[in-house]
Amino acid sequence: MPIYEYSCDKCGNNFEKLVMAGEEVKCPKCQSSMVNRQMSAFSTGPGDWGVSPGPSSLGGCGSSGGFS
Ligand SMILES: [Zn+2]
């Protein structure tokens, strides 16, 4: 899902919005269309990192698997 981060030129508000094709983006705070899209790699938020396997779980798996 293309969720973009915007900052408002008028009031300086930062917000995220899921943008459909051809949709005009307006600031939810002041309803201004003078918004700038932030070009960041961020897609779903910091919560995404919580579900990915960390190095600790990978290390534990390798150390306990002494089959050789
Ligand atoms: Zn605004």
Side-chain angles (χ1 to χ4, degrees):
M1 287 245 223
I3 299 178
Y4 298 114
E5 190 174 350
Y6 290 86
S7 69
C8 177
D9 261 355
K10 195 171 181 182
C11 71
N13 182 36
N14 291 310
F15 59 98
E16 297 154 23
K17 188 167 174 59
L18 199 162
V19 182
M20 306 300 176
E23 182 182 359
E24 184 182 17
V25 180
K26 288 186 177 179
C27 174
K29 198 172 180 180
C30 69
Q31 307 301 315
S32 170
S33 56
M34 293 165 52
V35 294
N36 295 312
R37 186 195 293 178
Q38 307 297 299
M39 299 301 288
S40 59
F42 147 95
S43 60
T44 57
D48 211 24
W49 296 100
V51 295
S52 57
S56 58
S57 63
L58 288 173
C61 191
S63 60
S64 61
F67 292 118
S68 59

